[in-house]
Amino acid sequence: MSNEKYEFFKVIQEYLAKAARVVSLDPAVETMLSQPKTEVIVHFPVKMDTGEIKLFKGYRIQHSNILGPFKGGIRYHENVTLDDTKALASMMTWKCALMRLPYGGAKGGIKFNPRAHSTGELQRITRRFTHALGSNIGPDYDIPAPDVGTNSQMMAWIMDTYMNTVGHVNKQANRGVVTGKPVASGGTLGREKATGQGVVHCITEWCRESRFNLEGSTYVVQGFGNVGAHAATILSRFGASLTAVGDHSGYLKSPEGFNPHKLMEWVKQKGSVAGYPSGQAISREEFFATKCDIFVPAALEGQIGPAEARAMECRLVAEGANGPCTPEGERVLLDRGIAVIPDVLANAGGVTVSYYEWVQNKRSESWTLEEVDAKLETAMKRSYGEVVNFARERDVDLRIAAYGLALDRLQNVYRERDIFP
Ligand code: GLU
């Protein structure tokens, strides 16, 4: 794993350049989209449980708001960098455009390890970050959401802090300042599992097209957080068997298959898959070489390079994470006949249901789980079909097709609106 050297933002710019050629993007539009519109960097002090004051570095990168308010998650991880956040923010622009959501793209993060902090410290860090961002976020301006290392509880703290500071005049109208909130605090049913559910919609569409039967098939999942765990439990309902898993703590196999529900409970209690009773510990190399039908990378970027791609023995890679395949890794997979459903499509279920939450907040409505699920299914299947058709028509891979469709939609708006002044 050459994570240190992985230049994520450069990779995303290269995908942009490649897709730009496919859709004959106006060079001026390409130039504008090659960098974020705004880069906010804040340093803020937080009192630790010991009384010690620590300084934290936080980012909010706002890539584009040509299609609507900036939108995207907030990541808590010790490796958060400016460039990676720029890459992730750009990807949100493509994702929202691809899904036809009235949003632009953004991403934020704080460079720290959330596992090393108490709940009290996490709350104070989250609230001070929200305070430091001030009016750089807002329900019609920039709407954060969960990402790696953050969850619905943290979104509730962001909402509460925003409502009590910047947005105190019109409290209720500010509920939509974040999505991915707990349901009782204005979240929506179906948001928690939405990203994993979207990954599975893509997988079942691929299976339908490839005439592949999920019943009796095998899958492996890297990363057992919100995305990986939900994708795993939903896939198991189709009669597929989870034979290997891994996360920051290491990798496990179970040739007879894990119970993903029990594993999810274990991770909730213990914080990782480590020590799960029916799992046998395996190396990272063994994990990637596990023979299976479907591989779901749902951890971090840059995980599948050429070495992993050469070792992998699967038919399909469905990118639950953002950027899990390097361009070289993806090339090897495609050359070996392994299909790749790209991140901006595969994991777009999360932001899609975030949009449903935001609409419900605006209208003071609460939709049933069935309504949310049905809307998400329609949206995912429509986009999947559009990407596959575009790829066939233009003879490009699915990633470039997804980028191409997004860029085409962005370019149309630039054409109509032109540049101010
Ligand atoms: N962080 C998620 C993503 O990468 C969700 C973003 C959102 O819901 O706004 O797509």
Side-chain angles (χ1 to χ4, degrees):
M1 187 171 48
S2 54
N3 236 352
E4 278 82 44
K5 283 185 269 128
Y6 189 53
E7 291 185 78
F8 196 12
F9 185 48
K10 216 168 131 201
V11 165
I12 299 302
Q13 284 178 312
E14 282 163 11
Y15 292 147
L16 165 65
K18 203 168 164 192
R21 286 195 292 277
V22 173
V23 294
S24 309
L25 196 71
D26 179 343
V29 173
E30 184 184 340
T31 305
M32 287 186 279
L33 291 172
S34 69
Q35 291 291 336
K37 191 165 171 179
T38 319
E39 300 178 16
V40 181
I41 305 179
V42 292
H43 289 96
F44 53 96
V46 181
K47 196 175 269 178
M48 299 292 102
D49 294 342
T50 57
E52 182 201 356
I53 308 267
K54 271 201 177 161
L55 195 66
F56 289 82
K57 191 187 194 88
Y59 302 91
R60 185 68 183 169
I61 306 302
Q62 297 164 331
H63 177 258
S64 166
N65 61 352
I66 188 101
L67 296 182
F70 299 112
K71 184 83 190 83
I74 292 189
R75 179 173 287 203
Y76 289 176
H77 195 277
E78 61 267 42
N79 294 341
V80 164
T81 65
L82 173 63
D83 260 30
D84 288 358
T85 314
K86 283 162 72 169
L88 293 161
S90 324
M91 289 174 75
M92 288 309 301
T93 301
W94 324 138
K95 211 182 285 185
C96 294
L98 175 66
M99 296 305 294
R100 300 178 187 274
L101 305 177
Y103 286 142
K107 195 71 135 211
I110 308 177
K111 187 179 172 54
F112 82 113
N113 175 9
R115 292 173 206 284
H117 292 269
S118 67
T119 307
E121 288 178 349
L122 288 173
Q123 175 166 179
R124 293 195 294 281
I125 294 164
T126 304
R127 287 187 184 274
R128 274 305 295 242
F129 180 46
T130 309
H131 180 262
L133 289 175
S135 51
N136 286 299
I137 58 170
D140 290 305
Y141 182 63
D142 181 356
I143 306 136
D147 196 78
V148 174
T150 53
N151 57 30
S152 59
Q153 172 61 77
M154 293 160 192
M155 300 305 114
W157 293 330
I158 295 176
M159 179 190 78
D160 187 73
T161 308
Y162 184 85
M163 277 183 172
N164 284 296
T165 51
V166 184
H168 59 280
V169 204
N170 203 355
K171 261 194 174 186
Q172 294 318 316
N174 286 312
R175 222 173 255 285
V177 65
V178 278
T179 58
K181 300 180 287 292
V183 175
S185 295
T188 181
L189 295 167
R191 174 63 184 87
E192 181 98 11
K193 64 162 176 143
T195 312
Q197 177 72 73
V199 171
V200 176
H201 283 315
C202 290
I203 293 174
T204 55
E205 282 303 275
W206 177 86
C207 289
R208 197 176 50 75
E209 290 209 315
S210 318
R211 297 196 173 78
F212 176 79
N213 191 358
L214 266 180
E215 173 91 47
S217 68
T218 53
Y219 64 104
V220 310
V221 178
Q222 188 202 26
F224 219 71
N226 177 276
V227 181
H230 283 289
T233 55
I234 299 167
L235 270 177
S236 72
R237 282 187 224 138
F238 289 87
S241 169
L242 174 63
T243 54
V245 288
D247 64 11
H248 63 276
S249 69
Y251 296 90
L252 300 176
K253 73 169 177 185
S254 169
E256 57 288 344
F258 290 99
N259 177 331
H261 296 275
K262 286 193 180 151
L263 185 57
M264 195 168 169
E265 271 315 304
W266 175 273
V267 173
K268 262 188 201 144
Q269 274 160 29
K270 315 268 177 181
S272 75
V273 300
Y276 185 70
S278 70
Q280 297 161 243
I282 51 171
S283 67
R284 188 176 187 277
E285 288 70 28
E286 284 174 273
F287 173 76
F288 278 96
T290 306
K291 193 167 165 33
C292 61
D293 297 303
I294 297 154
F295 193 109
V296 181
L300 292 169
E301 57 276 4
Q303 296 297 307
I304 303 176
E308 289 81 9
R310 276 192 292 272
M312 284 162 72
E313 289 292 341
C314 61
R315 296 161 193 260
L316 170 68
V317 174
E319 294 188 330
N322 288 313
C325 293
T326 70
E328 301 75 25
E330 182 178 32
R331 191 66 269 145
V332 174
L333 291 174
L334 296 178
D335 287 348
R336 294 184 55 219
I338 298 172
V340 178
I341 306 178
D343 42 19
V344 290
L345 170 65
N347 70 37
V351 69
T352 302
V353 176
S354 274
Y355 168 62
Y356 303 154
E357 176 176 333
W358 185 73
V359 170
Q360 289 171 71
N361 291 161
K362 279 194 172 297
R363 299 184 186 161
S364 301
E365 289 179 0
S366 47
W367 302 352
T368 63
L369 181 60
E370 291 70 30
E371 279 176 271
V372 172
D373 279 351
K375 278 188 161 53
L376 176 65
E377 181 171 355
T378 306
M380 291 305 306
K381 290 185 174 172
R382 180 187 65 193
S383 294
Y384 183 93
E386 286 176 346
V387 170
V388 166
N389 287 342
F390 187 101
R392 269 194 206 121
E393 279 163 21
R394 312 284 183 107
D395 193 23
V396 292
D397 62 46
L398 296 182
R399 188 182 315 280
I400 295 306
Y403 274 59
L405 277 164
L407 291 176
D408 227 12
R409 290 174 190 162
L410 285 153
Q411 162 140 288
N412 281 340
V413 178
Y414 274 110
R415 278 210 187 107
E416 286 163 10
R417 290 174 53 168
D418 213 345
I419 299 297
F420 170 83

